Each structure stands twice: as structure tokens, then as C-alpha cells.
Amino acid sequence: MDSGAVGQTMPEPPTQPGALLEWLWTLMSVRIVVAFLIVGLGVVVSKFLVRLFGRPVARRFQRQSVAQTVLGLLRVSTVVVATFVAGSIVGLGIGDIVLSVTVFSAVLGIVLAPIVGSIINGVFVLADNPYEIGDMIELENGRQGFVENITLRYTKIFTLDNTFLVVPNSSMRERDVTNFSAEDERTRLSIPLLVTYEGDLDAARTLMERAARNCDGVIEGGPDIRIGSARYPAKPTCLIDAYADSGVRLSLRFWVRTPYKISRIESTVRERIWAALEDADVEIAYPHQQLLFDENSGQARVALEEATAPAEREETSGVTEREPMESDDLSDDAGADGGE
């Protein structure tokens, strides 16, 4: 009876090719293997489509970040379609797959809410376009670097310290980001200098302006630079910033062509200013105070103590301890003489 039951449940495979394929298709294990093969084929096809449409998409979208996002969505869509086909092969209907994906997405959204938030913010980053791949930016904490990649989840920054900084898009939208490469790469720098009131003010301003000229990367002159509705001189200009307590504060303003070597250019200009101050009638001011006393200032009592060696200090301390005793004896003798 057992052998008969097995024979009824597991019929022998047919010998004809067509009937053999139909018989194999009835086996669930074969369908599962075919489903996995279809998913793998979908991954391969997705990579092929990215290579095929990579250049046309790059020509269509001028922004590299948007082009990469479109190609990423194309790859994901191809894999998703292959997954749906594989699910239908193993007996899952489209409704069951959609329901499973919906439930999984809901659970995933609750557990991984920060990642979902980063993806949503990534869409806004791509739409607002505060920066683009290749731009030099500076975060609010002073970190500078180049934007290496922009995805829906994070922004990858290649810092000037030769390190990578990966920041979630949700955090990037909340930070103050300075973009040095947006539209016009020319950047204005400002170097303050505090000089004394007794020095030659005109000479100080002249030598500061001269220090910024003939410097590699500094714009020496030309038409005024327009920022919005305002115009600023392109050549280096030194202005009086304020009359401070210890001196006159000057401000040297100059423009650099590109923002990629700001620290080096600023250091070179400071070195030239320092060298020019040696031969000029200009002195750098420093905070100091001057106290004046007159007949209405009262009297100031000052106590001075001479520094002595430790051994001498011990002998001196011993003498000072005995002196009151001798003075007390003299006072007693004086009192006795006076009594007589």
C-alpha cells in the first residue's frame, strides 16, 4: 500500500521532451530555481541598461547628481520588475506581492524612520540644488571639501584633509552650507590689521594694498565685480574699519579667482604685509594700559620684598623670630630704669 501511494503522488517522469518540461514545471523546487535565475538576470540587465542609457541621460540632464539618480532608479525598477515576474512564477499574484511590499515598507518605515527621512530630504536636496557634484562647500563647523556624490540618502564630501565625510541629507538640509563654487567662483577675502595711532596711516594702507598685488591667484584689477545690485572694486582695497582702543583697525579686501587655495593665498599676503612693515613707519598695535597719578589720586602704599635664597631665608626667619624677644627684654629694662 505504501509503494502504491508513493506511485500515485510521485509519478514517473515522461520520456518525451515536451512532456518532461511540463512535468518539471509542476515541481515547486524547479520554479524556485527559475525565479532566482530571473532575479539574477534582472540584476545583470539593470547594469546593462545603465551602461546603455548612461550617456544619453547625462546629455539630457546637465546636473550630474540628477543623472545618477535617474540611472539608479532605472536599475532599481529593472530589479523590481524581475522580482514581480519571479514571484508570479512561484505562485504569488501581483496583489499578494504588492500587499507584501506594502506591509514590509510600513514596517521598514517605522523601524528605519531616519533613513526614510534622509531619502525624502534627498529629493528636496536634488530639487533645491544648493550644491552639485564637484562644488567646494564649507559646513557650519568649518569643515571644507568637495562634493563627491549625492544620493537620495546621503551626501559624500571629500574633505581637504584627504578624508571622506558622509552626511545624511536630513542633516545637510538643517545645516548652513557655504558653496564657494556656485555660479561665480571668485571669492573675496578680508585681512584685518590693527596699527598704532602714532604711525603713518596712509603708508599702512598703501603697503597692505601692495602686498596683495602681484600675488598668484589674486585679481589685481579690471572691471568692478557685481554681486547682486552692488558693485565692488576688483583691485585690492584697504579701508579703515574702526578706531579701536589700542589703535586703528584696517581691513584689506581682495578677490581671488578660485576658492581652492584660499589658505595659501591668504598666508602669502600676510607674509608680504609682515615683511613690508619692517621698513615702514607703521607699528602693529597691541592692547596696553597707561596709569596716571596726580595730586588728587591719593596715596598708594607699596610693599617690597627682597628675594633671597632658601638657606638665607631660613636664617633670616630665625633672626626675625628672636628679634621680638630681644626687643621685649629691652622694653622691660627700659621700664625698670624708668621705675627707679
Side-chain angles (χ1 to χ4, degrees):
M1 294 178 62
D2 296 337
S3 60
V6 173
Q8 293 178 358
T9 56
M10 297 292 295
E12 295 181 358
T15 57
Q16 297 179 358
L20 178 61
L21 292 176
E22 293 180 358
W23 178 80
L24 291 175
W25 191 251
T26 58
L27 300 178
M28 182 57 66
S29 58
V30 175
R31 293 187 178 183
I32 293 175
V33 172
V34 173
F36 277 106
L37 292 177
I38 291 177
V39 173
L41 181 62
V43 174
V44 175
V45 172
S46 66
K47 295 181 179 180
F48 173 75
L49 292 178
V50 169
R51 293 181 179 179
L52 180 63
F53 294 101
R55 292 184 178 179
V57 171
R59 296 191 189 98
R60 176 64 178 81
F61 299 97
Q62 297 180 355
R63 295 175 54 189
Q64 185 178 355
S65 59
V66 177
Q68 290 183 359
T69 303
V70 171
L71 294 176
L73 293 177
L74 177 62
R75 177 182 296 179
V76 173
S77 301
T78 304
V79 176
V80 169
V81 172
T83 304
F84 275 100
V85 174
S88 61
I89 289 176
V90 297
L92 295 177
I94 298 179
D96 297 333
I97 297 176
V98 171
L99 180 61
S100 301
V101 172
T102 303
V103 174
F104 179 75
S105 301
V107 175
L108 190 64
I110 296 175
V111 177
L112 303 178
I115 297 179
V116 176
S118 296
I119 294 175
I120 296 175
N121 285 279
V123 175
F124 286 103
V125 168
L126 294 175
D128 298 337
N129 190 23
Y131 47 82
E132 186 53 56
I133 296 177
D135 289 351
M136 180 179 177
I137 63 175
E138 180 180 357
L139 303 180
E140 57 184 4
N141 57 0
R143 299 289 297 274
Q144 295 181 352
F146 297 92
V147 179
E148 181 73 14
N149 191 12
I150 304 175
T151 65
L152 291 177
R153 295 185 294 109
Y154 60 85
T155 297
K156 191 175 183 180
I157 304 173
F158 186 74
T159 66
L160 301 183
D161 298 329
N162 197 25
T163 58
F164 278 110
L165 182 63
V166 179
V167 184
N169 290 326
S170 58
S171 179
M172 289 297 295
R173 294 193 69 238
E174 296 176 356
R175 294 187 177 187
D176 295 333
V177 180
T178 303
N179 193 342
F180 292 97
S181 305
E183 298 180 0
D184 192 352
E185 291 186 344
R186 294 176 298 182
T187 306
R188 191 177 70 174
L189 302 180
S190 179
I191 297 179
L193 181 66
L194 188 65
V195 298
T196 59
Y197 285 99
E198 295 79 11
D200 191 347
L201 189 60
D202 294 335
R205 296 177 60 185
T206 301
L207 67 88
M208 291 184 68
E209 293 176 355
R210 190 180 302 159
R213 296 171 185 169
N214 299 325
C215 184
D216 187 17
V218 176
I219 300 176
E220 300 180 4
D224 294 340
I225 297 178
R226 182 173 181 178
I227 305 297
S229 59
R231 293 181 179 273
Y232 300 93
K235 63 180 181 179
T237 305
C238 184
L239 304 175
I240 299 177
D241 193 8
Y243 295 103
D245 296 335
S246 303
V248 182
R249 185 167 64 244
L250 304 178
S251 179
L252 174 63
R253 299 178 179 179
F254 57 95
W255 293 83
V256 296
R257 295 185 179 88
T258 56
Y260 310 124
K261 299 180 180 180
I262 289 179
S263 300
R264 184 185 60 81
I265 296 175
E266 187 174 358
S267 177
T268 302
V269 175
R270 291 182 184 273
E271 292 176 0
R272 292 187 176 185
I273 294 175
W274 180 266
L277 289 175
E278 296 180 357
D279 301 331
D281 185 17
V282 180
E283 184 179 357
I284 297 178
Y286 57 90
H288 63 279
Q289 293 181 350
Q290 185 177 4
L291 303 179
L292 300 177
F293 295 93
D294 54 11
E295 62 276 4
N296 299 322
S297 300
Q299 297 179 353
R301 297 182 179 180
V302 180
L304 299 178
E305 182 180 356
E306 184 179 359
T308 58
E312 297 178 357
R313 189 179 299 112
E314 292 179 359
E315 296 177 358
T316 305
S317 61
V319 173
T320 54
E321 290 178 358
R322 292 193 298 268
E323 284 181 354
M325 297 176 62
E326 295 177 357
S327 61
D328 292 343
D329 295 340
L330 293 175
S331 62
D332 294 341
D333 295 340
D337 295 341
E340 293 177 356

